[in-house]
């Protein structure tokens, strides 16, 4: 049965969204096309009508994950800013939810083994993220602000990766807290 252009576009969008989540949760090699299509509620046979390859899907899914991450890190109910980004990024909820979290932390070490199209997508997304952080960094010189933005992003990603890697929940929380205070923010009070 032939689907309308609107339905085909909606199906493609659904596949990209599902793949974005499943790649972050399972890794690029940890999930197959059949499972992605099944999770999207579509048949495996429809994949090649939408995408040329799994790599094409991965590149698009990475771009989407990076674009959507910024919206998650900056809480729309606040004025945002640097503190909101750090606190939203370095929190236990984000740590525990790879599937909906930062692509860089979830797939960073896998990306190096991906084809150029996927790496290019991630590179462009990283540049965009740095450009957004740049506007929040102190300093008069753009070069200084850019270095701070790069250092901030690497610190955030590294802290999240390590907090996920350890099997001791207390140590994991301690990593998140230490990284938060390293960014000059006070530790949040717990009751």
């Amino acid at each position: 049965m032939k689907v309308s252009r609107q339905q085909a576009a909606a199906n493609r969008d659904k596949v990209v969204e599902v793949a974005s989540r499943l790649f972050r949760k399972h890794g690029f090699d940890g999930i197959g096309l059949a499972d992605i299509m099944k999770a999207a509620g579509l048949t495996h046979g429809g994949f090649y009508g939408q995408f040329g390859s799994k790599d094409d899907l991965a590149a698009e899914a990475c771009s989407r994950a990076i674009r959507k991450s910024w919206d998650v890190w900056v809480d729309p109910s606040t004025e945002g800013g640097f503190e909101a980004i750090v606190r939203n990024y370095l929190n236990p909820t984000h740590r525990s939810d790879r599937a909906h979290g930062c692509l860089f932390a979830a797939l960073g070490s896998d990306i190096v083994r991906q084809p150029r199209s996927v790496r290019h997508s991630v590179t462009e997304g990283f540049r965009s993220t740095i450009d957004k952080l740049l506007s929040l960094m102190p300093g008069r010189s753009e070069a200084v602000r850019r270095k701070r933005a790069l250092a901030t992003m690497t610190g955030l990603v590294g802290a999240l990766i390590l907090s996920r890697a350890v099997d001791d929940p207390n140590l994991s929380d301690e990593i998140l807290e230490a990284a938060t205070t390293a960014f000059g923010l006070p530790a949040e009070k717990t009751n």
Side-chain angles (χ1 to χ4, degrees):
M1 178 166 84
K2 187 143 174 118
V3 297
S4 69
R5 286 185 189 178
Q6 269 186 317
Q7 187 58 53
N11 289 349
R12 179 186 177 87
D13 189 60
K14 178 74 171 174
V15 172
V16 173
E17 183 64 32
V18 167
S20 171
R21 181 174 40 86
L22 293 177
F23 284 141
R24 283 178 283 170
K25 183 175 182 179
H26 300 288
F28 293 112
D29 295 332
I31 189 80
L33 291 178
D35 292 324
I36 292 169
M37 295 301 285
K38 182 178 178 181
L42 300 167
T43 64
H44 183 245
F47 177 82
Y48 290 101
Q50 298 284 343
F51 304 94
S53 68
K54 184 178 177 183
D55 294 339
D56 292 343
L57 173 59
E60 197 168 328
C62 287
S63 290
R64 174 166 303 185
I66 294 166
R67 279 192 316 270
K68 290 181 91 176
S69 288
W70 187 260
D71 296 336
V72 172
W73 301 338
V74 180
D75 182 350
S77 68
T78 68
E79 290 192 21
F82 181 73
E83 182 173 346
I85 290 170
V86 171
R87 292 207 185 276
N88 288 334
Y89 192 97
L90 296 175
N91 74 55
T93 302
H94 187 205
R95 173 197 56 215
S96 299
D97 189 8
R98 281 190 330 265
H100 297 95
C102 175
L103 178 108
F104 305 121
L107 293 171
S109 63
D110 283 350
I111 292 167
V112 70
R113 290 181 287 279
Q114 297 307 303
R116 186 180 186 292
S117 61
V118 175
R119 292 185 72 199
H120 181 73
S121 174
V122 172
T123 300
E124 291 307 306
F126 185 78
R127 283 188 175 124
S128 175
T129 301
I130 295 303
D131 288 345
K132 289 175 181 174
L133 273 176
L134 189 67
S135 66
L136 301 172
M137 296 294 111
R140 291 184 179 165
S141 158
E142 184 173 337
V144 168
R145 289 194 326 271
R146 181 171 174 78
K147 284 181 183 179
R148 287 182 178 156
L150 287 164
T152 296
M153 195 64 200
T154 57
L156 290 171
V157 171
L160 190 61
I161 289 171
L162 289 172
S163 74
R164 288 175 175 169
V166 300
D167 70 352
D168 176 346
N170 292 327
L171 179 57
S172 180
D173 288 343
E174 190 177 6
I175 291 166
L176 293 179
E177 185 179 323
T180 299
T181 59
F183 284 111
L185 304 179
E188 289 193 329
K189 303 218 184 321
T190 58
N191 293 330

